[in-house]
Amino acid sequence: MTRAGSRSPLAPRRTLPATVVDDTVAAAAVLLDRWHPEDSSSGRSLFLDSNTPDEADAFLRATKDLHRAMLFYASGLTAASDLHAGGHGLIQAQELLDTAMRRLQLELQILLSSLPNVLRFHRYHDDDDVVEEEDDPQGLRETSGHLRAVAEAMLAAGYGKECVSIFKARRRASVAAALQRLHGFSPSQQQATVQKLAWEQIDARMQSWLAGARAAFASVFAGERELCDRVFAGEHSSVGDAVFAAVAEDQATSILAFAEAAVARAKRAPERLFRVLDVHDALTETIVPAIVAAFGDKSEVTARAVTLAVTKVGDAARGMLASFEAAIEKEPAKATVAGGAVHPLTRYVMNYLMFLADYENALANIYSAEQFTDTTDIASGTGTAGSSSSDLSMASTSSSSSSTQRTLSLWSNPIGWLVSVLMRKLDAKAGNYREAALSYLFLANNTHYVAKKVGAGTKLEAVLGEDWAEAQRAKARGYVDVYVRAAWGSKVLRGGAMDEAVLEAVAMQERWVAADEDMGEALRVVARAAVVPTYRMFYRRQGAAARLTPGDVIGMIDGLFGGRTTSHSSSSSSDSCLVSI
């Protein structure tokens, strides 16, 4: 028999630490009873609307205590005799911890639901320049702090899988909703239907894509990256990386994939080039740097974006410009215009190039031999540009240029090269006029039109250079001089039957046209200067026998090329008027 008051050898001994652990578990049980996950119908939240400010902290401490209690009880189970006492405590702590984790899963859902779809907002001007960034409000920062506390508690207790699963599901849905709102369509769903759409429909979606993609990468994905960094910080940063990748990577890829499909549909149609260049600018100026910042420069998303910007968009743009050059070359040389007017080809090409000049930087990057060689170049905006925009040494190559020369010139300055292709085609067309004078009028008009499009202060002048523009203006003036000599002929300018010669020359030119009023006035001025002095001398020799007066000649010249016909009542008045000129 044992002594009175002594413990049986088979009775479990209760040490001081065990008593403390038991009390801790009991206290946690009371707290869990107040915040049991099955009592969630009230909509209460430990973190958002607790009447006791310290309640959330106490709950998080309780989860740590329960986890430590489990370890304590498990460490004491060394013999079968321990199962009665320690085993019961372990089971109780395990059940309570599981209940606590289910509560934290509920809290995680509530907190994630309270976040906006887009965590950071950018506002844009019409030209898509970022003018203002609105930082996260204080409430959002507090919520992310609560999320971090919940995540750390669940990860520490071995419930990381449940935590990550809830986080990914909620944020993926939020990001998808934000992208749908930004684009006006789902990029992942539209990608598959691009091949079935007409280009006009694709182009409309591309306009939405340009603004939506900029905001998506600079705001939506940047916000998600920031949220993951805040919630899964420190030793859990690798978890944050994995969560962000799961939330964002495939959605980011779908945005890029839509652009890839749309660019591929553009094919080699020159009129679609400007939309492709818009994609290039959006990628290089905003999207790729934002992707590098959020996903890292070694990520698959970054690699795909760089490939899209440099290879796919670059190849498409170069193919379109090659098609544009080919279209100019294929224009039939015999297709002339009446009256030596500006040819529709000239108008189309120069207007096209005026728009193209707005993309000078994009073209420099696309045609550079040292395009962005790595993602750092794009992220920092230090990609090597192409040759100097004023380098037109190859642009004046004759029409017999080899294909190698054409390629070099196109890469050196695509706009300058295309202008040179146009000018060669105009030379060929001019040779198909039967009248030499009309050939030179055609060249004067078209060269003047080109020079005017490359006028002072225009972007085309910045691309082609002031010297080139002045050279075209001088060439146009030279064509005018040659035209006048050819149009008025030796009979008018060297005497002879001048009456008949003047009338024939005027009749020939009556239906010929000038490029614009400036060219018309230049033609009239040069004609008056060349013809009238000679005719005045003829008139003075012939006197009354002359059929025309100098004033008549002036009037007829002034009536050409859209000018106003002037009349003179007498030869003396005409002659006095002429003397005063």
Side-chain angles (χ1 to χ4, degrees), residues 54-111:
D54 298 331
E55 196 88 336
D57 291 338
F59 192 94
L60 293 174
R61 286 195 301 272
T63 63
K64 295 179 181 178
D65 291 341
L66 289 171
H67 189 246
R68 284 195 293 264
M70 287 176 57
L71 297 176
F72 175 83
Y73 289 133
S75 65
L77 299 180
T78 59
S81 59
D82 297 328
L83 293 176
H84 177 71
H88 175 75
L90 176 61
I91 293 171
Q92 182 185 21
Q94 171 67 53
E95 291 176 346
L96 290 172
L97 182 62
D98 185 69
T99 301
M101 290 299 107
R102 286 190 287 118
R103 179 71 217 189
L104 288 185
Q105 290 178 57
L106 176 62
E107 292 293 331
L108 188 62
Q109 294 176 10
I110 294 172
L111 290 169

Side-chain angles (χ1 to χ4, degrees), residues 21 258 417 428 465 500 531:
V21 172
F258 174 79
W417 173 251
E500 290 76 9
V531 175

Side-chain angles (χ1 to χ4, degrees), residues 120 217-218 221-222 225-226 229 244 286-297 299 302 375 379:
R120 284 163 40 181
F217 288 104
F221 294 117
R225 173 79 268 180
E226 186 173 347
D229 288 345
F244 175 72
T286 305
I287 294 174
V288 173
I291 289 176
V292 172
F295 293 85
D297 59 358
S299 71
T302 298
T375 56

Side-chain angles (χ1 to χ4, degrees), residues 77-261:
L77 299 180
T78 59
S81 59
D82 297 328
L83 293 176
H84 177 71
H88 175 75
L90 176 61
I91 293 171
Q92 182 185 21
Q94 171 67 53
E95 291 176 346
L96 290 172
L97 182 62
D98 185 69
T99 301
M101 290 299 107
R102 286 190 287 118
R103 179 71 217 189
L104 288 185
Q105 290 178 57
L106 176 62
E107 292 293 331
L108 188 62
Q109 294 176 10
I110 294 172
L111 290 169
L112 289 171
S113 298
S114 69
L115 291 174
N117 287 339
V118 182
L119 303 178
R120 284 163 40 181
F121 298 89
H122 293 269
R123 299 193 180 97
Y124 293 88
H125 280 311
D126 291 340
D127 59 0
D128 294 329
D129 290 332
V130 178
V131 294
E132 180 181 351
E133 179 178 327
E134 182 178 317
D135 292 328
D136 298 342
Q138 179 64 28
L140 182 52
R141 287 193 292 271
E142 290 178 353
T143 301
S144 63
H146 297 327
L147 285 168
R148 176 175 178 174
V150 172
E152 288 180 343
M154 295 184 71
L155 288 165
Y159 285 75
K161 182 178 180 180
E162 292 80 358
C163 172
V164 167
S165 177
I166 293 172
F167 195 96
K168 289 192 298 186
R170 289 301 178 106
R171 290 315 302 169
R172 279 180 61 85
S174 294
V175 169
L179 297 180
Q180 173 78 33
R181 180 175 63 82
L182 286 172
H183 289 91
F185 62 91
S186 172
S188 59
Q189 296 175 359
Q190 289 293 323
Q191 174 196 352
T193 63
V194 166
Q195 297 301 324
K196 302 177 182 179
L197 299 176
W199 173 255
E200 291 72 19
Q201 295 172 299
I202 297 173
D203 189 60
R205 285 167 172 77
M206 286 303 295
Q207 293 185 56
S208 299
W209 183 92
L210 288 166
R214 282 186 171 100
F217 288 104
S219 180
V220 177
F221 294 117
E224 290 303 313
R225 173 79 268 180
E226 186 173 347
L227 179 65
C228 289
D229 288 345
R230 288 182 179 181
V231 174
F232 303 99
E235 61 180 309
H236 302 304
S237 60
S238 60
V239 177
D241 293 338
V243 169
F244 175 72
V247 169
E249 275 192 357
D250 60 342
Q251 304 204 61
T253 298
S254 70
I255 295 176
L256 297 175
F258 174 79
E260 290 171 350

Side-chain angles (χ1 to χ4, degrees), residues 255-294:
I255 295 176
L256 297 175
F258 174 79
E260 290 171 350
V263 168
R265 277 295 307 276
K267 296 182 179 178
R268 297 172 68 90
E271 67 275 8
R272 301 173 184 177
L273 173 62
F274 303 107
R275 185 65 68 216
V276 171
L277 293 177
D278 286 336
V279 173
H280 174 276
D281 285 349
L283 286 166
T284 57
E285 294 171 3
T286 305
I287 294 174
V288 173
I291 289 176
V292 172

